[in-house]
Amino acid sequence: MFIRMTFTVAVAGASGYAGGETLRLLAAHPQVSVGALTANTSAGTRLSEHHPHLRSLAGRELVATDVAALAGHDVVVLALPHGASGAVAAALERTGSGTVVLDLGADHRLVDAADWRAYYGSEHAGTWTYGMPELIRSAGDTQRARLAATDRIAVPGCNVTAVTLGLQPGVAAGLVQTSDLVAVLAVGYSGAGKALRPHLQAAEALGSAQPYAVGGTHRHIPEIVQNLRAAGADDVAISFTPVLVPLSRGILATVTAPVGAGVSTAQARETWRAAYADEPFVEVLPDDVWPTTAMVVGANTALVQVAVDTKAGRLVTVTALDNLVKGTAGAAVQSMNLALGLPETTGLVREGVAP
């Protein structure tokens, strides 16, 4: 099979955290050439003003986000706010270019338009192929096969990725009940974006942990439910509480679920390891080693551990990932590779950065 040597990739929303992290990965990708970089209010500025760490692209100028700038590339990455990707994607569709488009926002993730309206308050832009290659599908097909056959990819939410990867093996194996799930996530501040809001400033954030979107209001909830149903769950109810903690990046997701009688920690770990045995970027840690966010900084890796609390009758999973890499940009590049016919791991690393 003939594989092209180089693909051109444009990034819309290049000044934000997600756009910048995508550019960091693309700059090191051996089969990618970075094309147009666009923004709205930052148009006319240099990339170095927003991402001074991206030295190979520092002198590039950001241009306005419009179809003329994005058309003609092999791949377009939309790192735009929720609700903004739909119109740009529709305009690109009208060009008929056959470009692979990846949406890092939420606009195309949900299958149910009613869920979108309920949580986002606007009309649904449509459903694209879900950009989580590791998603377990009880229907028998694989998410990788779907990604290899598409040119429209909806990249998952970072919190969703952590909860899904942590829990789905138990759902698929029928070890847990999904009608009483509890998820509490420690989330780094980059997950809240670059907006200059008072509670995101250092004076408020340092030395403090702040819960947000409490009481079933977080927009990632229907996406988590959707994924667990894909893995075989029928009735899904989840109490989901994210907490901002003084980290620039990282998610540590603790999820508990009622477990079937007689299920042991050893059995659970065997189930999780079997599910992820062939996954290049998801690893179940050795017995009694628990994930930390420091283990995954800068890596496209999710680390998982699981145990059974027999006194509480609940299974506990803990998952760590870098919200900007495996939670966003890394998932985008992983899915892009599949859509382009490249090896899935191209341009991505498992090794993190420490200290």
Side-chain angles (χ1 to χ4, degrees), residues 22-197:
T22 302
L23 287 171
R24 184 178 74 87
L25 299 180
L26 293 176
H29 195 293
Q31 292 182 248
V32 159
S33 173
V34 176
L37 307 181
T38 81
N40 282 326
T41 58
S42 300
T45 63
R46 301 285 180 185
L47 187 67
S48 59
E49 298 177 44
H50 309 279
H51 303 298
H53 61 295
L54 300 178
R55 300 314 307 161
S56 65
L57 301 168
R60 297 287 294 277
E61 182 177 344
L62 303 183
V63 300
T65 298
D66 58 38
V67 175
L70 299 173
H73 293 81
D74 298 305
V75 180
V76 171
V77 177
L78 302 177
L80 302 174
H82 302 325
S85 298
V88 177
L92 281 170
E93 190 76 30
R94 290 193 291 271
T95 68
S97 62
T99 299
V100 174
V101 183
L102 298 106
D103 185 3
L104 305 192
D107 292 31
H108 300 94
R109 294 172 187 163
L110 297 180
V111 173
D112 190 334
D115 281 343
W116 173 269
R117 289 191 294 270
Y119 280 85
Y120 292 89
S122 61
E123 288 306 306
H124 189 220
T127 305
W128 290 0
T129 306
Y130 197 66
M132 183 186 291
E134 303 89 355
L135 183 67
I136 296 174
R137 305 198 66 89
S138 63
D141 61 338
T142 69
Q143 199 62 22
R144 284 186 170 86
R146 294 187 176 199
L147 287 165
T150 191
D151 60 6
R152 294 293 184 271
I153 297 169
V155 178
C158 54
N159 296 313
V160 179
T161 298
V163 173
T164 301
L165 294 179
L167 194 60
Q168 65 174 355
V171 174
L175 294 187
V176 299
Q177 301 170 29
T178 57
S179 58
D180 180 21
L181 305 176
V182 178
V184 179
L185 285 72
V187 182
Y189 271 80
S190 59
K194 275 191 170 184
L196 295 177
R197 288 173 283 184

Side-chain angles (χ1 to χ4, degrees), residues 185-350:
L185 285 72
V187 182
Y189 271 80
S190 59
K194 275 191 170 184
L196 295 177
R197 288 173 283 184
H199 76 286
L200 301 182
Q201 296 176 6
E204 302 290 337
L206 295 180
S208 178
Q210 302 182 47
Y212 64 101
V214 180
T217 61
H218 198 286
R219 290 170 168 178
H220 284 175
I221 290 173
E223 193 180 339
I224 294 169
V225 172
Q226 179 175 291
N227 289 353
L228 298 182
R229 284 176 176 162
D234 292 323
D235 180 21
V236 182
I238 181 168
S239 171
F240 177 85
T241 306
V243 181
L244 288 172
V245 295
L247 298 172
S248 60
R249 57 168 77 202
I251 293 175
L252 190 71
T254 301
V255 186
T256 73
V259 67
V263 177
S264 66
T265 292
Q267 180 184 355
R269 289 176 177 167
E270 181 180 351
T271 299
W272 262 251
R273 288 182 179 131
Y276 291 135
D278 298 322
E279 290 296 343
F281 298 117
V282 183
E283 180 183 352
V284 181
L285 293 176
D287 290 355
D288 300 322
V289 177
W290 291 88
T292 70
T293 56
M295 294 176 176
V296 294
V297 174
N300 191 53
T301 307
L303 300 180
V304 183
Q305 186 55 282
V306 60
V308 174
D309 183 341
T310 54
K311 293 184 179 62
R314 296 183 75 86
L315 180 137
V316 182
T317 76
V318 178
T319 303
L321 55 80
D322 186 321
N323 58 294
L324 292 178
V325 190
K326 184 57 182 160
T328 306
V333 172
Q334 201 177 336
S335 299
M336 177 195 76
N337 287 337
L338 289 166
L340 295 177
L342 299 173
E344 183 178 335
T345 57
T346 306
L348 296 167
V349 297
R350 297 176 71 246

